[in-house]
Structures are given as C-alpha cells and as structure tokens.
C-alpha cells in the first residue's frame, strides 16, 4: 500500500496531521448528523440545535444525542486515525497491530484484569473526587465542579436505560465506539508516536496524561490517568491494538451493565453505582494484589521471546516486537 506521506515523517508532525484528519472527520460526521436528524428524526437544523440544548423536552432527544456521539466519535477519532495510517501507506494491521495476538483468549484475561482492578480503582476515584485546589485557585475549583456537575446531569440522562433496547444502544455507543475510536487515536497514533519521539515509558505516561486531560474531568483525572497507563502498557507490551480495545470496552461495558442492573433494582442493599465512595478494604487489598499479579502474567506473556535465540526489541513504531540476535 502506497501513501502520499513518507513513513519516516517526524512523530510530532504525525500527531499534528492526526488533528487535521480528525477535524476533517468531524466535518463529515456533522454532515451525516444533520442529514440523519432531518430524514431520520424529522428535525430541521434549528430544531436539532434546540433538542441538543434541551433533550428532555424532545421525544427524540435521547436518540439524537446517542446518534451524535456515536457518529462524531467514529468519524472524527477512528476516521482520523485510519486516514493518517492510510496517508502514510500503512494497512490497518501493519500500523495499529504490528504484532499478532496469538490465542484470542488472552483478550478474556485482559477483560478479567479490568474487572479485578475496579475495587482498587474506587480508592483513587474517592480520593480524586474529594481533592481540593489551593486557595489561590478557588475560583477555578468552583467552575470545574460546576462544569462536571452539569456534565453529570447529561451523562445520567444518556445512561437512563428504561428498556433492554436502550441498554444495548448504550453498550454500542458508550461502550464499543469509544473503545475502538479512542484506542486508535490515543494508543494507536499518539502513544505510538510519543514512544518514537521520546522513550517507551515517557510515551506511555504522556499518552495517558493526554487521554485523561482531553476528557476535561478534573476530579476524575487521576483514575483516568491510571486507566490510560494500564491501556498504554498493554498496548506497548502486546503491540496489538485489539488488546487495549478489549480492556477499554470491558471498562465501559461492565460499568453500564452494573448501572443497568441497579436501575432495575437487582441490588437489594441500596447499591449506588454513581457513588464515588471507596469500597471496603477487604475488597481493595485483594483487588490490588490480583491486579498486580495479572499485569505481571500479561507482561511476561506479551514480551516473551518467540524462540530461545530471540530477543525483545522496541521497533521504531513505538510497540514491542520480537527480533533475533545477529
């Protein structure tokens, strides 16, 4: 496959080009959204804008917002990342997954890892949710909390699953599409190029910080940073984007599943899935130990040499690959 850009293009320029392709993808996405709103929902552009601002006042509000989120994420993020890879002359697997996965059941191990980490992550969530900025930044803290409270109202509206069909739409739009689109951008392009530009660990940490910051949730920054680190190292070790996608999807889908069960009254002890309180230490400590153990097993598996004469090297593309001694 031949692209119109050189594969040796500087990593910083590749990231800038990604942003340009994402803007182009967003334009395509908005064109699809406007057409869908008019022909699918019977809304003119002014009506669509009013429905977005006040979705509870329109019967199509929930479906419209879900459609917009899914289309924009897919076109802007996934479309931008794939367009960049194509412009550089790469195929899908060659750019995002230069190493083969091997046995597919390792994706299940990755999914188990994400579920096991949740009690431990609850302590980080609780700490970050209760964090305070210095007195000199009090005004910013008030604004940040108000912004997040406003976003939480919209999130609660979108995740109100009053039917099984709505739940599956949520799994698709809130679970699967972000897992695919965000991993292509943040791990597949940004982390990959930061690793090439700097070093493996710097690339993973910078990529995770960007991943967390771009969500603009200051009182959830640290938990999302930790998630980004887990996803980043899984991609670095495995060299296969399906691994971090599986982990990301599990994180999203499992939380939606717990929320759906709670909304249907399946937890009789007053469980609140929206709570930011930490879980009991009797769950947190085993969670931390099991998470560390699973990460160790995954690291050993993904970075193991293919043969006694093989050694692990780092490719210029920023993911682990296997080579042989000269």
């Amino acid at each position: 496959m031949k692209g119109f850009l050189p594969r040796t293009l500087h990593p910083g320029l590749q990231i800038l080009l990604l942003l340009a392709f994402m803007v182009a993808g967003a334009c395509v996405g908005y064109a699809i959204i406007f057409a869908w709103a008019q022909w699918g929902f019977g809304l003119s552009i002014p009506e669509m804008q009013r429905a977005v601002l006040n979705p509870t006042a329109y019967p199509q509000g929930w479906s419209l917002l879900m459609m917009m989120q899914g289309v924009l994420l897919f076109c802007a993020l996934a479309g931008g990342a794939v367009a960049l890879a194509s412009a550089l002359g790469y195929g899908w697997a060659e750019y995002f997954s230069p190493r083969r996965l091997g046995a597919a059941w390792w994706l299940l191990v990755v999914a188990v890892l994400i579920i096991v980490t949740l009690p431990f992550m609850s302590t980080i969530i609780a700490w970050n949710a209760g964090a305070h900025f210095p007195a000199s930044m009090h005004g910013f803290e008030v604004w940040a909390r108000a912004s997040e409270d406003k976003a939480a109202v919209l999130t609660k509206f979108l995740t109100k699953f009053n039917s099984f069909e709505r739940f599956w739409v949520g799994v698709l739009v809130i679970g699967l599409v972000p897992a695919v689109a965000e991993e292509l951008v943040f791990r597949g392009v940004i982390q990959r190029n930061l690793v090439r530009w700097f070093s493996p660990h710097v690339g993973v940490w910078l990529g995770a910080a960007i991943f967390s910051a771009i969500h603009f949730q200051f009182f959830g920054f640290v938990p999302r940073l930790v998630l980004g680190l887990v996803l980043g190292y899984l991609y670095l070790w495995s060299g296969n984007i399906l691994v971090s996608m599986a982990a990301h999807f599990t994180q999203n889908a499992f939380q939606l599943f717990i929320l759906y069960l709670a909304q249907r009254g399946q937890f009789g002890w007053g469980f609140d899935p929206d709570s930011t309180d930490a879980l009991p230490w009797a769950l947190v400590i085993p969670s931390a130990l099991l998470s560390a153990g699973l990460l160790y097993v995954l690291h050993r598996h993904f970075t193991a040499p293919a043969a006694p004469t093989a050694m692990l090297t780092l490719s210029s593309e920023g993911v682990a690959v296997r080579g042989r001694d000269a």
Side-chain angles (χ1 to χ4, degrees), residues 141 171 188 197 237:
E141 180 176 341
V171 170
W197 197 350
W237 297 338

Side-chain angles (χ1 to χ4, degrees), residues 23-307:
V23 170
C27 292
V28 173
Y30 274 114
I32 295 172
I33 288 168
F34 291 147
W36 198 334
Q38 183 173 2
W39 297 326
F41 296 109
L43 297 174
S44 64
I45 292 179
E47 288 174 328
M48 187 197 77
Q49 292 172 332
R50 289 193 292 270
V52 169
L53 293 174
N54 188 18
T56 57
Y58 290 79
Q60 313 99 319
W62 187 87
S63 300
L64 177 65
L65 287 181
M66 278 294 195
M67 180 270 289
M68 288 183 65
Q69 178 167 319
V71 170
L72 276 180
L73 279 175
F74 186 80
C75 292
L77 273 67
V82 172
L84 175 65
S86 300
L88 294 168
Y90 288 96
W92 159 278
E94 187 182 7
Y95 191 86
F96 298 107
S97 301
R99 279 184 59 184
R100 299 182 66 178
L101 177 63
W105 65 270
W106 281 102
L107 297 180
L108 180 60
V109 178
V110 168
V112 171
L113 166 69
I114 294 301
I115 295 173
V116 165
T117 63
L118 293 179
F120 170 71
M121 289 290 289
S122 72
T123 62
I124 303 176
I125 292 170
W127 171 81
N128 199 177
H132 292 282
F133 289 89
S136 59
M137 299 180 66
H138 178 71
F140 173 79
E141 180 176 341
V142 171
W143 171 82
R145 289 195 182 277
S147 298
E148 293 195 19
D149 289 343
K150 184 177 179 180
V153 172
L154 179 60
T155 300
K156 201 158 191 175
F157 172 71
L158 291 175
T159 54
K160 183 66 175 176
F161 303 127
N162 53 23
S163 69
F164 189 62
E165 290 74 18
R166 277 199 172 195
F167 167 69
W168 280 109
V169 171
V171 170
L172 173 64
V173 175
I174 303 175
L176 182 60
V177 174
V180 173
E182 292 183 2
E183 288 310 300
L184 288 174
V185 167
F186 292 105
R187 254 59 63 181
V189 176
I190 293 178
Q191 176 180 303
R192 166 196 177 99
N193 281 285
L194 289 174
V195 166
R196 287 182 57 209
W197 197 350
F198 300 105
S199 69
H201 294 299
V202 171
V204 170
W205 280 79
L206 278 179
I210 295 170
F211 167 71
S212 184
I214 208 71
H215 286 82
F216 294 102
Q217 291 183 326
F218 303 98
F219 300 99
F221 178 87
V222 178
R224 189 169 279 108
L225 172 67
V226 174
L227 174 63
L229 290 173
V230 172
L231 298 174
Y233 278 108
L234 287 175
Y235 182 52
L236 180 73
W237 297 338
S238 67
N240 193 302
I241 199 69
L242 292 178
V243 174
S244 59
M245 282 181 179
H248 198 151
F249 173 72
T250 302
Q251 170 77 16
N252 295 344
F254 187 76
Q255 291 186 353
L256 292 175
F257 179 64
I258 294 299
L259 182 61
Y260 177 67
L261 292 181
Q263 290 174 359
R264 297 184 64 83
Q266 297 299 312
F267 300 108
W269 61 89
F271 172 72
D272 181 10
D274 295 321
S275 173
T276 57
D277 295 336
L279 292 174
W281 284 104
L283 294 175
V284 171
I285 294 175
S287 167
L289 294 174
L290 286 172
S291 299
L294 283 172
L295 283 169
Y296 175 76
V297 169
L298 287 164
H299 175 262
R300 287 289 300 272
H301 168 72
F302 287 134
T303 61

